[in-house]
Amino acid sequence: MKLTRRRLVVSAGATAAVALLPSPRATAASEAPPFPPPLKPDVFRDRQSRLRAEAKARGIDVLFVTPSTNLAYCANLAIGRSERLTALLLFTDGPAVLVTPSFEEANHKRSAVVDDVKTWREDEDPIALAGKLLAERKTIGIEGSTTFETVTALARVHSAKTQEATPLFDALRMIKSEEEQAFIRDAARRTNLAIEGTHQRMRAGMSESEVSRILDEQFAAQGVRGGGLVQFGPSSAFPHGAPAERRLAKGDAVLIDCGCRVRGYNSDITRTVSFGPPSAEFRKVYAIVERAQLAGIEALKAGAIPEDVDRAARRIIEEAGYGKFFTHRLGHGLGMDGHEPPYLVHGNRKPLATGNVETVEPGIYMEGKFGIRIEDDYAVRANGPGSLSVRPGEMVVLPV
């Protein structure tokens, strides 16, 4: 199916963005739409069963998982890492056991999907407890973000071999269920609303930092924590430039790259607009980036080779004479982490699969002038892309 701008917007179930935004309207947090229901405990038990099977096939006896999105993924425990050890021991032939400080037990039991909890007091060594629980296990699969300090401490009390377990998690996490995709779609909807609300409140003379704070407020009005990059004029030519003190002026490009989380799943959207009438060059470059994004989206389907998807979009920009100004990959996987596999990049030859979720975000960055990036989120389907975010219907011009 040949994708056109109109068809993509209509398929997303929303009308295109207007060229001039309406006057601002305050949005109360109480007006934020309800969140989709959370995942049920059985989802996490099924994930644990699949992890056990994959680990066993690789000769791993137990997975050692410290606080991370991988822990949240398999046990519904989304907590930060600290000097106090919390770890899931997922035995391939036994239970899922959570090791955690005793004062955290009641709190973690409210959400964690595990079979048992083993606690340690402040005057005890948690590594010794973990070593005792691991007993005769010969091979431990270590979750990839676990600190070197923890791994070396574990090696001092247990002689088992260790393996990197990240590939096990990646293989499962790259395929998103319909429920997971719904979380990302909901996060994308709130992100688009936050961006639109921010655009409506922008005025000449505001700094990037001021607008960044407005963006935070707009996310809060949507019932979520969110944020990202806000860049004006020449600052927008830095693909990952942080908000600073540049003041908004008539004719500036305004680039906002941001997202939020819903039920632990991220959105990632970039919109570039013009503050006041754009220059002829801005219009030209915007049209090229838009065509490149459409080409990338059209190439996105199950079985497609990621570097070929990147090439489809990059070719548009190169043929227009701006190839050297497109300085990054076309996109990345999206889920519980803002950037995760699979990546739409040269050199990645592993075919995409139904259930992958990808960003498609071509950009042209002209130092000293402006940068333009358009980024949206898509699910990979057997017959093409499934829109998770509503694309802009046309270039947006903000009133001065």
Side-chain angles (χ1 to χ4, degrees):
M1 178 180 70
K2 183 70 175 176
L3 295 175
T4 65
R5 178 172 62 193
R6 177 174 176 78
R7 181 171 291 144
L8 279 166
V9 172
V10 171
S11 70
T15 57
V18 295
L20 289 172
L21 292 179
S23 58
R25 183 182 76 86
T27 302
S30 60
E31 296 179 26
F35 292 102
L39 298 174
K40 296 179 179 180
D42 283 350
V43 171
F44 298 96
R45 295 190 183 99
D46 177 67
R47 290 172 176 178
Q48 290 171 15
S49 294
R50 288 186 289 156
L51 282 166
R52 285 188 178 100
E54 291 295 327
K56 199 166 189 176
R58 295 172 184 242
I60 296 173
D61 300 313
V62 58
L63 294 174
F64 186 89
V65 189
T66 51
S68 57
T69 50
N70 283 329
L71 180 60
Y73 177 82
C74 69
N76 196 35
L77 188 58
I79 59 173
R81 180 179 286 122
S82 77
E83 77 282 5
R84 295 184 173 98
L85 178 70
T86 290
L88 175 71
L89 277 56
L90 183 62
F91 295 94
T92 57
D93 59 354
V97 179
L98 185 69
V99 173
T100 196
S102 57
F103 68 86
E104 296 279 23
E105 180 180 11
N107 184 37
H108 293 341
K109 279 184 173 180
R110 294 190 303 172
S111 58
V113 180
V114 295
D115 301 308
D116 196 7
V117 178
K118 299 295 185 182
T119 63
W120 54 275
R121 299 189 310 272
E122 292 278 62
D123 59 350
E124 293 179 318
D125 180 6
I127 294 294
L129 172 59
K132 182 178 179 182
L133 292 169
L134 292 169
E136 301 300 318
R137 291 344 191 255
K138 296 180 179 179
T139 305
I140 304 171
I142 304 293
E143 189 276 329
S145 69
T146 303
T147 65
F148 180 76
E149 179 184 15
T150 298
V151 175
T152 54
L154 194 61
R156 287 195 292 268
V157 300
H158 200 287
S159 60
K161 294 188 299 182
T162 58
Q163 283 190 31
E164 162 69 270
T166 296
L168 280 72
F169 288 94
D170 285 351
L172 297 186
R173 288 178 53 178
M174 280 193 290
I175 307 300
K176 272 74 177 181
S177 67
E178 290 297 327
E179 288 175 298
E180 292 173 295
Q181 292 177 34
F183 296 154
I184 298 171
R185 183 182 294 107
D186 189 83
R189 177 167 62 102
R190 293 171 199 267
T191 299
N192 266 326
L193 289 171
I195 294 172
E196 290 170 9
T198 300
H199 284 161
Q200 292 169 3
R201 293 175 58 186
M202 291 173 59
R203 299 291 182 268
M206 286 183 171
S207 71
E208 292 170 335
S209 296
E210 286 176 297
V211 175
S212 182
R213 288 192 289 271
I214 291 173
L215 180 64
D216 292 345
E217 292 169 3
Q218 291 298 309
F219 273 116
Q222 293 298 319
V224 292
R225 286 186 177 181
L229 307 176
V230 175
Q231 299 164 273
F232 303 156
S235 296
S236 62
F238 301 107
H240 278 174
E245 296 309 313
R246 177 179 169 80
R247 300 284 171 175
L248 183 59
K250 182 178 179 181
D252 272 352
V254 177
L255 188 153
I256 297 179
D257 180 347
C258 61
C260 67
R261 281 187 178 185
V262 167
R263 302 297 185 195
Y265 287 78
N266 291 276
S267 59
D268 194 357
I269 292 172
T270 303
R271 297 288 178 258
T272 308
V273 302
S274 178
F275 186 68
S279 66
E281 185 176 32
F282 183 96
R283 288 182 180 277
K284 176 185 177 182
V285 173
Y286 190 97
I288 294 166
V289 174
E290 184 179 41
R291 291 201 307 272
Q293 193 197 34
L294 286 169
I297 294 167
E298 185 175 357
L300 197 67
K301 61 184 177 181
I305 304 301
E307 74 170 7
D308 292 343
V309 180
D310 178 279
R311 168 51 52 191
R314 196 170 300 276
R315 183 182 298 115
I316 299 296
I317 294 175
E318 289 176 344
E319 290 177 352
Y322 289 86
K324 69 178 182 180
F325 301 111
F326 182 13
T327 55
H328 54 73
R329 66 194 173 207
L330 178 62
H332 54 82
L334 185 66
M336 299 187 81
D337 287 313
H339 289 197
E340 58 183 50
Y343 297 98
L344 304 180
V345 65
H346 177 74
N348 186 358
R349 299 286 304 169
K350 184 177 181 181
L352 295 172
T354 298
N356 291 156
V357 171
E358 301 293 317
T359 66
V360 181
E361 48 179 304
I364 292 176
Y365 310 94
M366 304 181 70
E367 190 173 348
K369 295 182 178 181
F370 56 79
I372 295 175
R373 181 167 66 253
I374 307 172
E375 176 183 16
D376 286 282
D377 307 333
Y378 283 85
V380 175
R381 306 270 194 258
N383 58 349
S387 176
L388 300 181
S389 63
V390 179
R391 294 182 69 253
E394 58 185 340
M395 184 183 68
V396 172
V397 178
L398 303 181
V400 177

